[in-house]
Amino acid sequence: CATWTGPRPAQTGDEAAWQARRAALQTVTHWSLNGRIAATGLFGFSGRVRWQQRGEQFVIDVAGPFGAGATRLSGSADQVEIRNAEGAWVTTDAQGDLQRAYGWTLPLAGLERWALGLPIPGQPARWVLDGNGRLLTLDQAGWTVTYERYTQPVSGPALPQKLLIDNGETRWRLLVDRWQLDQAAPA
Amino acid sequence: AAEDLADALANTRALAGVFEQRLLDSDDTVIEASRGSFALQRPGKFRWDYEQPYVQQVISDGQTLWHYDRDLAQVTVRSVGTALSGTPAALLSGATELDDSFVVRELEPGRYGLEPKAAEAEFESATVELEDGVVTALDIQDALGQRTRIEFFDVARNVSFKAGWFEFEPPPGVEVVGEAGL
């Protein structure tokens, strides 16, 4: 069932689980992940990603084999410093700059939430839940996110381990090897 | 002196062995550790088979570079010219002649510092460690102050490899992603 963010239909089993899950995940403001990321589209890219989120601020490191092309995106979704071997520059259009510089782009504002398995708050979204009250697919901001696998940490809600992010031009696959929630979300 | 590095690399036609690789943060904490087997054949051929913590292969025949990740089921194909220009992986395999691409300084006996001459090199600097003429370690400093340290073990010299060892055949179902111009 595709669920709009409009008036709440009668809560089915997984809908209730989804609402509980959302409430739990929304309290997670400090987290980090280490994983692998690959882009297909006009330009390919595959490499390592390390994402550290502290409230609104993030530090995202992306690098290819042997650390080649290491690039750091730091700041918040509306103003980002992009640093690589050639230097650093600050931009308020990180998505556009990345597309021009590398031929691929990352929906930073979206990924901050999608990586956790949440939609961007306050923006229209369509989603389909899996049987456990978790997102299976999410359509938002021009991207379709498909959650292929979740991982269940010792405490707290399940977290995405393998996801696909596609806007019809660029398709990203993110594989999380290690999650760390710094403020443990209530179970 | 600096020439010792060039000599050591020049007279080693082929190398193979095991490597342990650690990615270190600027304060030397280990971000990620991996290991596997490697093979090098001058000029320009090299192959890194990562076995732990996940399966990846970085292979070059001197013209093309393949970066395959089994879990991501994708191989990125790039021309060596743009992909590893002036990187130590290329250096060790002799794809780029030493003094064309690097300023080499002997930091201490058997340890050499390399600064890429090209401004847009994909890393800041590197050090190569030798022991009786064989490379034992490689340290690559990237633009973010992080270091990829690779240590080599059980190194066999002047080995021969079976045909196609430095080429990648995508398994069925693996997405091949080219770089513009390939």
Side-chain angles (χ1 to χ4, degrees), chain A residues 145-173:
Chain A
V145 187
T146 307
Y147 293 89
E148 293 177 345
R149 201 165 58 221
Y150 282 86
T151 176
Q152 177 58 56
V154 172
S155 72
L159 294 166
Q161 184 172 46
K162 194 171 181 189
L163 48 147
L164 212 60
I165 302 160
D166 190 344
N167 71 348
E169 265 173 43
T170 307
R171 189 157 53 87
W172 284 93
R173 183 164 282 134

PDB file of all heavy atoms in Angstrom, chain A residues 145-173:
ATOM      1  N   VAL A 145      14.216   5.613  -3.350  1.00  0.00           N
ATOM      2  CA  VAL A 145      15.138   4.879  -2.475  1.00  0.00           C
ATOM      3  C   VAL A 145      14.542   3.491  -2.267  1.00  0.00           C
ATOM      4  O   VAL A 145      13.369   3.367  -1.907  1.00  0.00           O
ATOM      5  CB  VAL A 145      15.291   5.587  -1.105  1.00  0.00           C
ATOM      6  CG1 VAL A 145      16.371   4.903  -0.272  1.00  0.00           C
ATOM      7  CG2 VAL A 145      15.630   7.064  -1.298  1.00  0.00           C
ATOM      8  N   THR A 146      15.358   2.461  -2.521  1.00  0.00           N
ATOM      9  CA  THR A 146      14.907   1.080  -2.318  1.00  0.00           C
ATOM     10  C   THR A 146      15.775   0.463  -1.231  1.00  0.00           C
ATOM     11  O   THR A 146      17.008   0.461  -1.340  1.00  0.00           O
ATOM     12  CB  THR A 146      15.053   0.276  -3.627  1.00  0.00           C
ATOM     13  OG1 THR A 146      14.380   0.986  -4.664  1.00  0.00           O
ATOM     14  CG2 THR A 146      14.468  -1.118  -3.485  1.00  0.00           C
ATOM     15  N   TYR A 147      15.142   0.003  -0.183  1.00  0.00           N
ATOM     16  CA  TYR A 147      15.877  -0.589   0.945  1.00  0.00           C
ATOM     17  C   TYR A 147      15.966  -2.092   0.720  1.00  0.00           C
ATOM     18  O   TYR A 147      14.993  -2.809   0.872  1.00  0.00           O
ATOM     19  CB  TYR A 147      15.176  -0.242   2.270  1.00  0.00           C
ATOM     20  CG  TYR A 147      15.260   1.236   2.581  1.00  0.00           C
ATOM     21  CD1 TYR A 147      14.287   2.127   2.123  1.00  0.00           C
ATOM     22  CD2 TYR A 147      16.353   1.760   3.283  1.00  0.00           C
ATOM     23  CE1 TYR A 147      14.397   3.487   2.363  1.00  0.00           C
ATOM     24  CE2 TYR A 147      16.463   3.127   3.537  1.00  0.00           C
ATOM     25  CZ  TYR A 147      15.484   3.988   3.073  1.00  0.00           C
ATOM     26  OH  TYR A 147      15.598   5.337   3.306  1.00  0.00           O
ATOM     27  N   GLU A 148      17.142  -2.567   0.325  1.00  0.00           N
ATOM     28  CA  GLU A 148      17.291  -3.979  -0.026  1.00  0.00           C
ATOM     29  C   GLU A 148      17.572  -4.843   1.194  1.00  0.00           C
ATOM     30  O   GLU A 148      17.250  -6.020   1.222  1.00  0.00           O
ATOM     31  CB  GLU A 148      18.420  -4.131  -1.057  1.00  0.00           C
ATOM     32  CG  GLU A 148      18.053  -3.485  -2.403  1.00  0.00           C
ATOM     33  CD  GLU A 148      19.184  -3.568  -3.424  1.00  0.00           C
ATOM     34  OE1 GLU A 148      20.332  -3.854  -3.014  1.00  0.00           O
ATOM     35  OE2 GLU A 148      18.931  -3.340  -4.604  1.00  0.00           O
ATOM     36  N   ARG A 149      18.199  -4.271   2.201  1.00  0.00           N
ATOM     37  CA  ARG A 149      18.520  -5.097   3.384  1.00  0.00           C
ATOM     38  C   ARG A 149      18.662  -4.209   4.612  1.00  0.00           C
ATOM     39  O   ARG A 149      19.162  -3.083   4.510  1.00  0.00           O
ATOM     40  CB  ARG A 149      19.847  -5.844   3.135  1.00  0.00           C
ATOM     41  CG  ARG A 149      20.023  -7.073   4.030  1.00  0.00           C
ATOM     42  CD  ARG A 149      21.133  -8.019   3.560  1.00  0.00           C
ATOM     43  NE  ARG A 149      22.443  -7.387   3.471  1.00  0.00           N
ATOM     44  CZ  ARG A 149      23.300  -7.614   2.456  1.00  0.00           C
ATOM     45  NH1 ARG A 149      22.943  -8.432   1.481  1.00  0.00           N
ATOM     46  NH2 ARG A 149      24.466  -7.027   2.418  1.00  0.00           N
ATOM     47  N   TYR A 150      18.229  -4.723   5.753  1.00  0.00           N
ATOM     48  CA  TYR A 150      18.405  -4.005   7.021  1.00  0.00           C
ATOM     49  C   TYR A 150      19.317  -4.837   7.920  1.00  0.00           C
ATOM     50  O   TYR A 150      19.483  -6.046   7.725  1.00  0.00           O
ATOM     51  CB  TYR A 150      17.052  -3.827   7.720  1.00  0.00           C
ATOM     52  CG  TYR A 150      16.193  -2.716   7.164  1.00  0.00           C
ATOM     53  CD1 TYR A 150      15.339  -2.923   6.074  1.00  0.00           C
ATOM     54  CD2 TYR A 150      16.232  -1.434   7.717  1.00  0.00           C
ATOM     55  CE1 TYR A 150      14.553  -1.903   5.557  1.00  0.00           C
ATOM     56  CE2 TYR A 150      15.453  -0.400   7.206  1.00  0.00           C
ATOM     57  CZ  TYR A 150      14.616  -0.638   6.129  1.00  0.00           C
ATOM     58  OH  TYR A 150      13.835   0.367   5.612  1.00  0.00           O
ATOM     59  N   THR A 151      19.892  -4.179   8.911  1.00  0.00           N
ATOM     60  CA  THR A 151      20.691  -4.891   9.899  1.00  0.00           C
ATOM     61  C   THR A 151      20.124  -4.521  11.279  1.00  0.00           C
ATOM     62  O   THR A 151      19.694  -3.375  11.481  1.00  0.00           O
ATOM     63  CB  THR A 151      22.185  -4.496   9.797  1.00  0.00           C
ATOM     64  OG1 THR A 151      22.890  -5.152  10.857  1.00  0.00           O
ATOM     65  CG2 THR A 151      22.390  -3.006   9.907  1.00  0.00           C
ATOM     66  N   GLN A 152      20.090  -5.498  12.168  1.00  0.00           N
ATOM     67  CA  GLN A 152      19.477  -5.265  13.480  1.00  0.00           C
ATOM     68  C   GLN A 152      20.590  -5.127  14.521  1.00  0.00           C
ATOM     69  O   GLN A 152      21.251  -6.100  14.862  1.00  0.00           O
ATOM     70  CB  GLN A 152      18.560  -6.447  13.846  1.00  0.00           C
ATOM     71  CG  GLN A 152      17.926  -6.322  15.243  1.00  0.00           C
ATOM     72  CD  GLN A 152      17.092  -5.037  15.384  1.00  0.00           C
ATOM     73  OE1 GLN A 152      16.179  -4.808  14.602  1.00  0.00           O
ATOM     74  NE2 GLN A 152      17.443  -4.190  16.354  1.00  0.00           N
ATOM     75  N   PRO A 153      20.847  -3.889  14.994  1.00  0.00           N
ATOM     76  CA  PRO A 153      21.873  -3.740  16.030  1.00  0.00           C
ATOM     77  C   PRO A 153      21.396  -4.349  17.348  1.00  0.00           C
ATOM     78  O   PRO A 153      20.219  -4.692  17.494  1.00  0.00           O
ATOM     79  CB  PRO A 153      22.012  -2.221  16.149  1.00  0.00           C
ATOM     80  CG  PRO A 153      20.777  -1.636  15.577  1.00  0.00           C
ATOM     81  CD  PRO A 153      20.198  -2.640  14.635  1.00  0.00           C
ATOM     82  N   VAL A 154      22.308  -4.440  18.324  1.00  0.00           N
ATOM     83  CA  VAL A 154      21.971  -5.055  19.612  1.00  0.00           C
ATOM     84  C   VAL A 154      20.776  -4.330  20.228  1.00  0.00           C
ATOM     85  O   VAL A 154      19.800  -4.938  20.639  1.00  0.00           O
ATOM     86  CB  VAL A 154      23.202  -4.989  20.551  1.00  0.00           C
ATOM     87  CG1 VAL A 154      22.814  -5.441  21.958  1.00  0.00           C
ATOM     88  CG2 VAL A 154      24.322  -5.835  19.978  1.00  0.00           C
ATOM     89  N   SER A 155      20.892  -2.989  20.241  1.00  0.00           N
ATOM     90  CA  SER A 155      19.736  -2.248  20.812  1.00  0.00           C
ATOM     91  C   SER A 155      19.319  -1.205  19.783  1.00  0.00           C
ATOM     92  O   SER A 155      20.105  -0.811  18.931  1.00  0.00           O
ATOM     93  CB  SER A 155      20.185  -1.540  22.095  1.00  0.00           C
ATOM     94  OG  SER A 155      21.019  -0.449  21.707  1.00  0.00           O
ATOM     95  N   GLY A 156      18.062  -0.791  19.875  1.00  0.00           N
ATOM     96  CA  GLY A 156      17.587   0.239  18.962  1.00  0.00           C
ATOM     97  C   GLY A 156      16.992  -0.362  17.697  1.00  0.00           C
ATOM     98  O   GLY A 156      17.075  -1.573  17.475  1.00  0.00           O
ATOM     99  N   PRO A 157      16.392   0.483  16.883  1.00  0.00           N
ATOM    100  CA  PRO A 157      15.687  -0.008  15.688  1.00  0.00           C
ATOM    101  C   PRO A 157      16.653  -0.535  14.626  1.00  0.00           C
ATOM    102  O   PRO A 157      17.840  -0.188  14.621  1.00  0.00           O
ATOM    103  CB  PRO A 157      14.950   1.239  15.191  1.00  0.00           C
ATOM    104  CG  PRO A 157      15.636   2.404  15.812  1.00  0.00           C
ATOM    105  CD  PRO A 157      16.299   1.946  17.058  1.00  0.00           C
ATOM    106  N   ALA A 158      16.115  -1.358  13.741  1.00  0.00           N
ATOM    107  CA  ALA A 158      16.923  -1.883  12.623  1.00  0.00           C
ATOM    108  C   ALA A 158      17.393  -0.710  11.760  1.00  0.00           C
ATOM    109  O   ALA A 158      16.734   0.333  11.695  1.00  0.00           O
ATOM    110  CB  ALA A 158      16.066  -2.836  11.788  1.00  0.00           C
ATOM    111  N   LEU A 159      18.558  -0.866  11.121  1.00  0.00           N
ATOM    112  CA  LEU A 159      19.120   0.212  10.289  1.00  0.00           C
ATOM    113  C   LEU A 159      19.388  -0.340   8.892  1.00  0.00           C
ATOM    114  O   LEU A 159      19.727  -1.501   8.726  1.00  0.00           O
ATOM    115  CB  LEU A 159      20.420   0.723  10.912  1.00  0.00           C
ATOM    116  CG  LEU A 159      20.247   1.425  12.267  1.00  0.00           C
ATOM    117  CD1 LEU A 159      21.572   1.582  12.976  1.00  0.00           C
ATOM    118  CD2 LEU A 159      19.571   2.793  12.057  1.00  0.00           C
ATOM    119  N   PRO A 160      19.257   0.530   7.895  1.00  0.00           N
ATOM    120  CA  PRO A 160      19.495   0.066   6.523  1.00  0.00           C
ATOM    121  C   PRO A 160      20.937  -0.405   6.332  1.00  0.00           C
ATOM    122  O   PRO A 160      21.878   0.200   6.856  1.00  0.00           O
ATOM    123  CB  PRO A 160      19.216   1.302   5.670  1.00  0.00           C
ATOM    124  CG  PRO A 160      18.348   2.169   6.517  1.00  0.00           C
ATOM    125  CD  PRO A 160      18.790   1.929   7.921  1.00  0.00           C
ATOM    126  N   GLN A 161      21.101  -1.524   5.634  1.00  0.00           N
ATOM    127  CA  GLN A 161      22.457  -1.993   5.343  1.00  0.00           C
ATOM    128  C   GLN A 161      22.754  -1.874   3.854  1.00  0.00           C
ATOM    129  O   GLN A 161      23.868  -1.600   3.448  1.00  0.00           O
ATOM    130  CB  GLN A 161      22.587  -3.456   5.791  1.00  0.00           C
ATOM    131  CG  GLN A 161      23.992  -3.992   5.607  1.00  0.00           C
ATOM    132  CD  GLN A 161      24.154  -5.358   6.214  1.00  0.00           C
ATOM    133  OE1 GLN A 161      23.305  -6.236   6.026  1.00  0.00           O
ATOM    134  NE2 GLN A 161      25.214  -5.541   6.960  1.00  0.00           N
ATOM    135  N   LYS A 162      21.727  -2.086   3.025  1.00  0.00           N
ATOM    136  CA  LYS A 162      21.967  -1.991   1.576  1.00  0.00           C
ATOM    137  C   LYS A 162      20.822  -1.203   0.959  1.00  0.00           C
ATOM    138  O   LYS A 162      19.662  -1.597   1.129  1.00  0.00           O
ATOM    139  CB  LYS A 162      22.023  -3.402   0.999  1.00  0.00           C
ATOM    140  CG  LYS A 162      22.591  -3.464  -0.415  1.00  0.00           C
ATOM    141  CD  LYS A 162      22.816  -4.928  -0.814  1.00  0.00           C
ATOM    142  CE  LYS A 162      23.408  -4.979  -2.228  1.00  0.00           C
ATOM    143  NZ  LYS A 162      23.446  -6.369  -2.751  1.00  0.00           N
ATOM    144  N   LEU A 163      21.147  -0.062   0.350  1.00  0.00           N
ATOM    145  CA  LEU A 163      20.078   0.698  -0.278  1.00  0.00           C
ATOM    146  C   LEU A 163      20.481   1.223  -1.652  1.00  0.00           C
ATOM    147  O   LEU A 163      21.664   1.378  -1.949  1.00  0.00           O
ATOM    148  CB  LEU A 163      19.596   1.835   0.612  1.00  0.00           C
ATOM    149  CG  LEU A 163      20.565   2.777   1.271  1.00  0.00           C
ATOM    150  CD1 LEU A 163      19.943   4.164   1.366  1.00  0.00           C
ATOM    151  CD2 LEU A 163      20.875   2.333   2.710  1.00  0.00           C
ATOM    152  N   LEU A 164      19.458   1.427  -2.456  1.00  0.00           N
ATOM    153  CA  LEU A 164      19.623   1.880  -3.831  1.00  0.00           C
ATOM    154  C   LEU A 164      18.937   3.236  -3.934  1.00  0.00           C
ATOM    155  O   LEU A 164      17.829   3.397  -3.435  1.00  0.00           O
ATOM    156  CB  LEU A 164      18.880   0.880  -4.729  1.00  0.00           C
ATOM    157  CG  LEU A 164      19.388   0.607  -6.119  1.00  0.00           C
ATOM    158  CD1 LEU A 164      20.790   0.061  -6.072  1.00  0.00           C
ATOM    159  CD2 LEU A 164      18.456  -0.404  -6.795  1.00  0.00           C
ATOM    160  N   ILE A 165      19.623   4.235  -4.516  1.00  0.00           N
ATOM    161  CA  ILE A 165      19.059   5.583  -4.601  1.00  0.00           C
ATOM    162  C   ILE A 165      19.136   5.993  -6.055  1.00  0.00           C
ATOM    163  O   ILE A 165      20.214   5.998  -6.632  1.00  0.00           O
ATOM    164  CB  ILE A 165      19.867   6.550  -3.714  1.00  0.00           C
ATOM    165  CG1 ILE A 165      19.865   6.041  -2.266  1.00  0.00           C
ATOM    166  CG2 ILE A 165      19.319   7.958  -3.766  1.00  0.00           C
ATOM    167  CD1 ILE A 165      20.965   6.594  -1.425  1.00  0.00           C
ATOM    168  N   ASP A 166      17.992   6.279  -6.669  1.00  0.00           N
ATOM    169  CA  ASP A 166      17.957   6.427  -8.127  1.00  0.00           C
ATOM    170  C   ASP A 166      17.124   7.649  -8.517  1.00  0.00           C
ATOM    171  O   ASP A 166      16.005   7.818  -8.017  1.00  0.00           O
ATOM    172  CB  ASP A 166      17.299   5.140  -8.699  1.00  0.00           C
ATOM    173  CG  ASP A 166      17.428   5.070 -10.210  1.00  0.00           C
ATOM    174  OD1 ASP A 166      17.735   6.116 -10.830  1.00  0.00           O
ATOM    175  OD2 ASP A 166      17.218   3.974 -10.759  1.00  0.00           O
ATOM    176  N   ASN A 167      17.668   8.530  -9.369  1.00  0.00           N
ATOM    177  CA  ASN A 167      16.823   9.649  -9.833  1.00  0.00           C
ATOM    178  C   ASN A 167      16.644   9.570 -11.351  1.00  0.00           C
ATOM    179  O   ASN A 167      16.374  10.566 -12.006  1.00  0.00           O
ATOM    180  CB  ASN A 167      17.450  10.994  -9.433  1.00  0.00           C
ATOM    181  CG  ASN A 167      18.699  11.295 -10.253  1.00  0.00           C
ATOM    182  OD1 ASN A 167      19.219  10.405 -10.947  1.00  0.00           O
ATOM    183  ND2 ASN A 167      19.196  12.522 -10.164  1.00  0.00           N
ATOM    184  N   GLY A 168      16.853   8.370 -11.883  1.00  0.00           N
ATOM    185  CA  GLY A 168      16.658   8.198 -13.317  1.00  0.00           C
ATOM    186  C   GLY A 168      17.892   8.545 -14.115  1.00  0.00           C
ATOM    187  O   GLY A 168      18.098   8.085 -15.230  1.00  0.00           O
ATOM    188  N   GLU A 169      18.803   9.340 -13.530  1.00  0.00           N
ATOM    189  CA  GLU A 169      20.052   9.674 -14.240  1.00  0.00           C
ATOM    190  C   GLU A 169      21.221   8.984 -13.567  1.00  0.00           C
ATOM    191  O   GLU A 169      22.051   8.358 -14.190  1.00  0.00           O
ATOM    192  CB  GLU A 169      20.295  11.183 -14.177  1.00  0.00           C
ATOM    193  CG  GLU A 169      19.804  11.962 -15.377  1.00  0.00           C
ATOM    194  CD  GLU A 169      19.962  13.451 -15.089  1.00  0.00           C
ATOM    195  OE1 GLU A 169      21.032  13.832 -14.549  1.00  0.00           O
ATOM    196  OE2 GLU A 169      19.018  14.188 -15.345  1.00  0.00           O
ATOM    197  N   THR A 170      21.268   9.199 -12.253  1.00  0.00           N
ATOM    198  CA  THR A 170      22.360   8.564 -11.492  1.00  0.00           C
ATOM    199  C   THR A 170      21.746   7.557 -10.535  1.00  0.00           C
ATOM    200  O   THR A 170      20.715   7.843  -9.931  1.00  0.00           O
ATOM    201  CB  THR A 170      23.123   9.621 -10.659  1.00  0.00           C
ATOM    202  OG1 THR A 170      23.514  10.668 -11.527  1.00  0.00           O
ATOM    203  CG2 THR A 170      24.345   9.021  -9.999  1.00  0.00           C
ATOM    204  N   ARG A 171      22.350   6.387 -10.438  1.00  0.00           N
ATOM    205  CA  ARG A 171      21.854   5.400  -9.482  1.00  0.00           C
ATOM    206  C   ARG A 171      22.975   5.086  -8.499  1.00  0.00           C
ATOM    207  O   ARG A 171      24.075   4.711  -8.913  1.00  0.00           O
ATOM    208  CB  ARG A 171      21.422   4.135 -10.225  1.00  0.00           C
ATOM    209  CG  ARG A 171      20.687   3.147  -9.333  1.00  0.00           C
ATOM    210  CD  ARG A 171      19.821   2.223 -10.166  1.00  0.00           C
ATOM    211  NE  ARG A 171      20.590   1.582 -11.232  1.00  0.00           N
ATOM    212  CZ  ARG A 171      21.253   0.451 -11.062  1.00  0.00           C
ATOM    213  NH1 ARG A 171      21.252  -0.122  -9.877  1.00  0.00           N
ATOM    214  NH2 ARG A 171      21.916  -0.105 -12.038  1.00  0.00           N
ATOM    215  N   TRP A 172      22.725   5.317  -7.217  1.00  0.00           N
ATOM    216  CA  TRP A 172      23.731   5.037  -6.191  1.00  0.00           C
ATOM    217  C   TRP A 172      23.368   3.757  -5.468  1.00  0.00           C
ATOM    218  O   TRP A 172      22.209   3.508  -5.185  1.00  0.00           O
ATOM    219  CB  TRP A 172      23.753   6.157  -5.139  1.00  0.00           C
ATOM    220  CG  TRP A 172      24.419   7.405  -5.605  1.00  0.00           C
ATOM    221  CD1 TRP A 172      23.823   8.480  -6.193  1.00  0.00           C
ATOM    222  CD2 TRP A 172      25.815   7.680  -5.540  1.00  0.00           C
ATOM    223  NE1 TRP A 172      24.766   9.413  -6.504  1.00  0.00           N
ATOM    224  CE2 TRP A 172      25.996   8.970  -6.109  1.00  0.00           C
ATOM    225  CE3 TRP A 172      26.924   7.002  -5.065  1.00  0.00           C
ATOM    226  CZ2 TRP A 172      27.246   9.549  -6.219  1.00  0.00           C
ATOM    227  CZ3 TRP A 172      28.163   7.591  -5.166  1.00  0.00           C
ATOM    228  CH2 TRP A 172      28.316   8.851  -5.741  1.00  0.00           C
ATOM    229  N   ARG A 173      24.379   2.962  -5.191  1.00  0.00           N
ATOM    230  CA  ARG A 173      24.154   1.826  -4.288  1.00  0.00           C
ATOM    231  C   ARG A 173      25.025   2.077  -3.069  1.00  0.00           C
ATOM    232  O   ARG A 173      26.210   2.384  -3.207  1.00  0.00           O
ATOM    233  CB  ARG A 173      24.535   0.523  -4.984  1.00  0.00           C
ATOM    234  CG  ARG A 173      24.254  -0.693  -4.130  1.00  0.00           C
ATOM    235  CD  ARG A 173      24.264  -1.977  -4.937  1.00  0.00           C
ATOM    236  NE  ARG A 173      23.060  -2.201  -5.710  1.00  0.00           N
ATOM    237  CZ  ARG A 173      23.071  -2.594  -6.988  1.00  0.00           C
ATOM    238  NH1 ARG A 173      24.211  -2.779  -7.610  1.00  0.00           N
ATOM    239  NH2 ARG A 173      21.946  -2.801  -7.631  1.00  0.00           N
TER     240      ARG A 173
END
